[in-house]
Amino acid sequence: MENQKHFKFSTGVVAYPVFFVLIIWLVFWFEVRFGYNFSKYGVYPQTLKGLRGVLLSPFIHGDIKHIYHNTIPLFVLSVALFYFYRPIAWKILFYGILLSGFLTWCIGRPSYHIGASGLIYVLVSFTFFKGVFAKHFRLIALSLLVVFLYGSMIWYTLPVEKGISWEGHMGGLLTGLLFAIIFKKQIAKPKKFAWEEETYNEDDDPFLKHFDENGNFIESKEDEEEQLQIKYTFKEKDKD
């Protein structure tokens, strides 16, 4: 039964990100195959019509290079999200799309903003700050890994390159930080050893009872009796 639960958990961790990425590629394939251009369904700031892009823009990409560069980090970060934060993973994805898209709509330039990069910045920011706030060695290690892999992305939250929606990146970064604060109560807590508990009493520790005040090992009476017991075995000599 435990193996079945573990298998179900493992497949869910990978299956959901694969399904999400697959939808993005299917939308792109549909555009190429039938000659459509869905860019007009992206976020167009400060217009009522442009609000539809808040929900639709993560699934729309301009070209093969654009979708390729978004696919790998989106998949890796989504797997990490579902593995370490499964109870809140869907909330992070859904509200992350909405809030980062809305921030882009508020601060963006008058142009169509498309792509899943805003959501990627949500995941990068959330994973990093969540690990820092948690003070849990596994989550901190994950944060350091995220910095190592995607730390350079921070520069693209500024208008350093033409044609890149730095507003969407900035919106994703702020959204991830906000989520790390809001969901702080649901941070995985590290397991404590008995000696770390507030109610811990050294006098009751069965292991420490074997040592005196100076730290010398003391053999209990039971140990002494066991050592004093000598067992003899003998075998009668065969008679000729």
Side-chain angles (χ1 to χ4, degrees):
M1 183 64 70
E2 291 183 359
N3 291 333
Q4 292 179 350
K5 290 182 178 179
H6 178 73
F7 177 77
K8 184 178 180 181
F9 174 79
S10 300
T11 53
V13 167
V14 178
Y16 295 139
V18 168
F19 179 72
F20 191 67
V21 170
L22 182 61
I23 292 177
I24 292 176
W25 275 92
L26 284 174
V27 172
F28 182 74
W29 171 83
F30 187 87
E31 285 188 277
V32 176
R33 177 65 178 81
F34 298 101
Y36 284 91
N37 187 352
F38 291 152
S39 296
K40 61 182 180 180
Y41 295 103
V43 174
Y44 199 94
Q46 290 95 49
T47 64
L48 186 61
K49 191 176 182 179
L51 277 173
R52 62 187 179 184
V54 170
L55 186 61
L56 300 177
S57 61
F59 303 95
I60 306 170
H61 293 80
D63 52 38
I64 189 67
K65 183 179 179 181
H66 188 198
I67 191 172
Y68 172 76
H69 284 303
N70 281 346
T71 296
I72 297 177
L74 181 61
F75 175 75
V76 172
L77 293 167
S78 296
V79 169
L81 180 70
F82 278 96
Y83 183 82
F84 290 98
Y85 305 106
R86 181 152 187 173
I88 58 174
W90 285 112
K91 292 181 180 179
I92 299 300
L93 287 177
F94 181 71
Y95 293 120
I97 290 174
L98 294 181
L99 185 55
S100 63
F102 180 72
L103 289 176
T104 303
W105 184 85
C106 292
I107 66 176
R109 292 161 291 174
S111 178
Y112 289 106
H113 298 255
I114 59 174
S117 56
L119 177 59
I120 291 172
Y121 274 81
V122 171
L123 298 178
V124 169
S125 177
F126 172 78
T127 304
F128 172 75
F129 289 110
K130 187 77 164 176
V132 173
F133 295 156
K135 298 180 181 179
H136 189 313
F137 70 94
R138 291 180 65 189
L139 302 182
I140 292 175
L142 178 62
S143 296
L144 294 176
L145 178 62
V146 168
V147 170
F148 176 76
L149 294 176
Y150 305 113
S152 61
M153 292 173 60
I154 188 67
W155 297 110
Y156 293 101
T157 60
L158 302 173
V160 294
E161 187 172 339
K162 187 178 180 180
I164 293 181
S165 177
W166 65 269
E167 299 95 331
H169 299 168
M170 178 62 74
L173 181 69
L174 296 177
T175 300
L177 173 59
L178 179 63
F179 286 173
I181 297 173
I182 292 177
F183 296 105
K184 191 174 181 180
K185 295 181 179 179
Q186 295 176 319
I187 290 177
K189 295 182 179 179
K191 294 181 180 179
K192 289 186 176 181
F193 295 98
W195 51 269
E196 294 181 297
E197 299 291 342
E198 295 181 359
T199 57
Y200 171 72
N201 187 353
E202 292 184 359
D203 296 332
D204 297 331
D205 193 308
F207 178 73
L208 293 180
K209 287 181 180 180
H210 290 82
F211 297 86
D212 60 19
E213 295 180 354
N214 297 320
N216 299 316
F217 184 77
I218 304 175
E219 294 183 351
S220 62
K221 294 182 178 180
E222 294 180 356
D223 296 334
E224 293 177 356
E225 292 177 357
E226 289 181 359
Q227 292 182 1
L228 292 174
Q229 291 179 359
I230 302 176
K231 296 182 180 180
Y232 294 93
T233 59
F234 68 92
K235 181 178 181 182
E236 295 183 356
K237 184 177 180 181
D238 296 336
K239 297 180 179 180
D240 295 334

